[in-house]
Amino acid sequence: MPELRPAGVERRTFLRYTSALGAAAAITASLSACGGPSSTADGAAAKGDGNGNGTIEAGLSYPLSTGFDPMITSGATPYAANMHIFEGLVDLDPATLVARPALATEMPKRINATTYRATLRDGATFHDGSPVTAEDVVFSFERILDEKNASLMAQFLPFIDTVTAVDAKTVEFKLRHAFALFPSRIAVARIVPKKIVEADVKGFDAKPVGSGPYRFVEATREDKIVFEKYAKYNGPHPARAQKMIWRLMSDQSARVSAMESGRVQAIEDVPYIDVQRLSATTKTESVQSFGLLFLMFNTADKRFADKRVRQALHYALDTEKIIKTAMVGNATAATGYVPATHPDHHKAATVYTHDVAKAKKLLADAGVGKLKFTVLTTDTGWVKDIAPLLKESWAAAGIEATLNIAQSAAQYAKVDGGDFEVMVAPGDPSVFGNDVDLLMRWFYYGFWPEKRYAWAGSPAYKKVKQLLDKAARAADEATRKQLWGEITDLVADEAALYPILHRKLPTAWNDKALPGFKPLPTTGLSFVGVGRA
């Protein structure tokens, strides 16, 4: 998934492990076949009063590369769409990432250390008009936890033992062990209608049905997604526009032109070089995010099995020059796994400053002469701008890197086939949650270390898993922070996969046309609670 997907798992990868390639083909065909009317013309018909009327048009950075099933979608754009289509018992405020009740009447109630209960709000319905029931909630969690479904979300919920319906409106969770972050963590699970999903899972993936403030109308790959206000929504965040049209504009200049011309009222991923110009006519803001650019090694390659070689490539990078030149200052060099602005930031014992002499010594100590390799990277606009500077930094340290730049899906197909040496790519799992346990599990527990960078057999990986599991069971916050700090020190020293920088996300919008709009610290745009003036 572009931006998010580099931190995610290709849908085709999941399906490969579950032998369901036919389903992927069917979904692709369905999405491609969804046609629809052209954009609402600029003018009175598109405007609104901020009270559920008018049309919001927006420019999104990435095409549709997966379906919409919230159990498995890893695409940046469909994930953002799902924030409007689906609800969880709990969701995250898109701008602050703080958990809040959604389908539940309040945050899950703690019965004892390993038991929680949640009650559904009265009158909640799916977009087909059917009521949301406790049975739907149980079904939604059980399909995530079922290993054969290879759910993207399962890795975040390993502590759940059973989910049962106490009555039509009440759900009880039994945990395998106490987990203090439970109330907010279940935001990763969106509630889906059991009858619709069981009847046609492929159709549901292509045409999702949720209980959120907007209902899905249609989607056309590399063109648009269309939503309409769901009139029967009775939750805390009703739609404040009648319709939304999301233009899928991977071309950076097209997004900027659409914003300048007034064709759209908001765009994400503003090219760094255009931020200042756009700020003269529109509202712009760059928000610090977890979103990182990471350096990942195929540790099955004997050269990169030696951590000194991995460390050398980090020390050789002139990260400050990269940030200043290619990103116009819109990033911070990594000093730990999470950015310094994160409340649980821990400065790593190993911080990779620009030190060419140290890089050369590490390579010499590792017995490496002339190091040559191919680095895969994605064709995301800001990443393409950075790529030549990576090559330049390494060359200054006597390291010869050949750039291989291509679309995310193509690059991850190589990675998942073991056909890579080094990869530099963007990633941001904070869209799922912002606690350190979740952020670390994304890259350091399960799929990524075991299937992507071949770290599964290393003592360091076993230690990371032990520490993460120990932290998850810790009752007090101080102990969790201490253990997360130990993990940060370990993954920084090992550098099998580790951030180079954390970037700021520039967004542009017409603040007069979109009352209530806020830029996000994650990939995507949110119009939850946003009107069209």
Side-chain angles (χ1 to χ4, degrees):
M1 108 189 205
E3 188 66 45
L4 177 55
R5 171 150 319 146
V9 180
E10 288 289 341
R11 175 171 173 74
R12 69 187 65 189
T13 302
F14 280 121
L15 293 173
R16 182 184 301 127
Y17 292 117
T18 57
S19 302
L21 288 172
I27 290 166
T28 299
S30 176
L31 278 172
S32 299
C34 290
S38 60
S39 166
T40 302
D42 289 335
K47 295 178 181 178
D49 56 13
N51 294 310
N53 298 307
T55 298
I56 292 173
E57 297 205 43
L60 278 292
S61 183
Y62 305 108
L64 279 173
S65 49
T66 71
F68 294 88
D69 186 339
M71 180 184 76
I72 51 177
T73 189
S74 59
T77 294
Y79 192 89
N82 283 351
M83 291 193 296
H84 302 76
I85 297 168
F86 293 97
E87 296 177 281
L89 290 173
V90 170
D91 70 15
L92 302 180
D93 181 287
T96 66
L97 300 180
V98 173
R100 61 191 184 183
L103 269 171
T105 56
E106 59 184 351
M107 295 298 287
K109 184 177 180 180
R110 183 180 184 272
I111 307 301
N112 57 49
T114 57
T115 307
Y116 287 82
R117 285 190 176 185
T119 302
L120 294 171
R121 71 171 184 264
D122 290 335
T125 60
F126 291 112
H127 298 157
D128 68 336
S130 63
V132 181
T133 68
E135 184 181 7
D136 295 306
V137 176
V138 172
F139 171 77
S140 299
F141 276 91
E142 287 185 343
R143 71 192 294 256
I144 288 172
L145 297 172
D146 188 338
E147 290 185 3
K148 73 174 184 291
N149 289 330
S151 171
L152 174 64
M153 305 304 161
Q155 64 187 313
F156 302 137
L157 302 171
F159 49 83
I160 293 180
D161 187 17
T162 61
V163 187
T164 56
V166 176
D167 55 41
K169 293 290 182 183
T170 310
V171 180
E172 183 173 273
F173 296 86
K174 289 287 188 180
L175 310 188
R176 299 179 189 278
H177 57 81
F179 183 64
L181 302 176
F182 171 85
S184 60
R185 178 60 61 81
I186 60 170
V188 303
R190 307 284 180 170
I191 306 308
V192 302
K194 179 180 178 181
K195 289 183 180 179
I196 291 175
V197 175
E198 287 187 329
D200 183 4
V201 67
K202 291 183 292 185
F204 171 75
D205 193 23
K207 297 182 178 181
V209 177
S211 63
Y214 287 93
R215 72 175 190 87
F216 174 87
V217 176
E218 62 176 338
T220 308
R221 192 180 297 277
E222 298 185 8
D223 183 14
K224 65 178 179 290
I225 307 173
V226 181
F227 313 74
E228 282 184 352
K229 173 184 177 180
Y230 179 48
K232 293 184 179 179
Y233 174 82
N234 70 344
H237 307 289
R240 296 183 61 199
Q242 184 62 38
K243 187 176 183 179
M244 293 196 298
I245 301 173
W246 289 11
R247 301 290 172 187
L248 308 182
M249 300 175 168
S250 56
D251 181 81
Q252 298 182 85
S253 60
R255 285 198 309 282
V256 173
S257 295
M259 190 70 224
E260 289 181 317
S261 70
R263 183 188 181 198
V264 299
Q265 293 87 54
I267 60 171
E268 68 163 335
D269 198 20
V270 179
Y272 293 115
I273 197 170
D274 293 314
V275 170
Q276 185 174 357
R277 190 179 88 240
L278 269 179
S279 65
T281 55
T282 66
K283 182 77 171 177
T284 61
E285 187 174 337
S286 293
V287 179
Q288 181 62 55
S289 74
F290 172 81
L292 49 77
L293 186 73
F294 63 77
L295 181 55
M296 177 176 74
F297 298 90
N298 184 351
T299 62
D301 183 316
K302 64 181 181 180
R303 297 170 298 171
F304 304 120
D306 191 324
K307 72 178 181 182
R308 292 172 296 184
V309 177
R310 306 193 297 258
Q311 290 173 343
L313 265 67
H314 273 280
Y315 279 117
L317 291 177
D318 191 344
T319 304
E320 294 300 338
K321 179 180 179 180
I322 290 169
I323 291 170
K324 181 179 179 180
T325 305
M327 306 181 76
V328 198
N330 285 272
T332 55
T335 58
Y337 178 61
V338 298
T341 52
H342 193 286
D344 292 320
H345 172 263
H346 169 83
K347 185 175 181 180
T350 304
V351 175
Y352 293 102
T353 55
H354 184 218
D355 192 333
V356 173
K358 190 166 188 175
K360 289 181 176 179
K361 184 178 187 304
L362 284 165
L363 290 175
D365 290 347
V368 175
K370 180 70 173 179
L371 181 60
K372 298 182 180 180
F373 60 89
T374 297
V375 57
L376 304 184
T377 191
T378 65
D379 64 353
T380 308
W382 64 275
V383 180
K384 283 198 296 185
D385 293 340
I386 286 172
L389 296 174
L390 300 172
K391 180 181 174 74
E392 179 183 294
S393 283
W394 285 324
I399 301 166
E400 185 177 336
T402 300
L403 299 176
N404 182 314
I405 304 173
Q407 289 187 339
S408 174
Q411 301 297 54
Y412 278 95
K414 296 170 190 172
V415 169
D416 292 336
D419 182 23
F420 86 105
E421 295 169 287
V422 178
M423 185 181 207
V424 174
D428 188 0
S430 68
V431 69
F432 303 120
N434 200 37
D435 66 84
V436 178
D437 177 82
L438 182 149
L439 297 174
M440 285 183 162
R441 283 178 185 274
W442 183 264
F443 281 126
Y444 301 122
Y445 200 114
F447 185 85
W448 277 80
E450 294 174 14
K451 304 294 185 182
R452 290 198 155 158
Y453 54 96
W455 209 38
S458 70
Y461 176 54
K462 293 176 183 177
K463 182 67 173 177
V464 166
K465 289 183 69 177
Q466 290 170 358
L467 290 172
L468 273 171
D469 288 339
K470 186 176 180 181
R473 290 171 168 80
D476 64 290
E477 184 178 1
T479 300
R480 289 196 296 273
K481 286 189 174 185
Q482 176 191 338
L483 293 168
W484 291 337
E486 289 182 37
I487 298 167
T488 297
D489 290 343
L490 180 54
V491 297
D493 178 64
E494 288 287 326
L497 183 154
Y498 195 67
I500 298 169
L501 55 82
H502 296 94
R503 80 181 188 113
K504 293 181 179 179
L505 302 180
T507 303
W509 72 99
N510 182 335
D511 57 340
K512 294 181 177 62
L514 298 177
F517 180 88
K518 294 180 181 178
L520 304 185
T522 60
T523 303
L525 296 171
S526 171
F527 300 98
V528 175
V530 177
R532 176 68 169 98

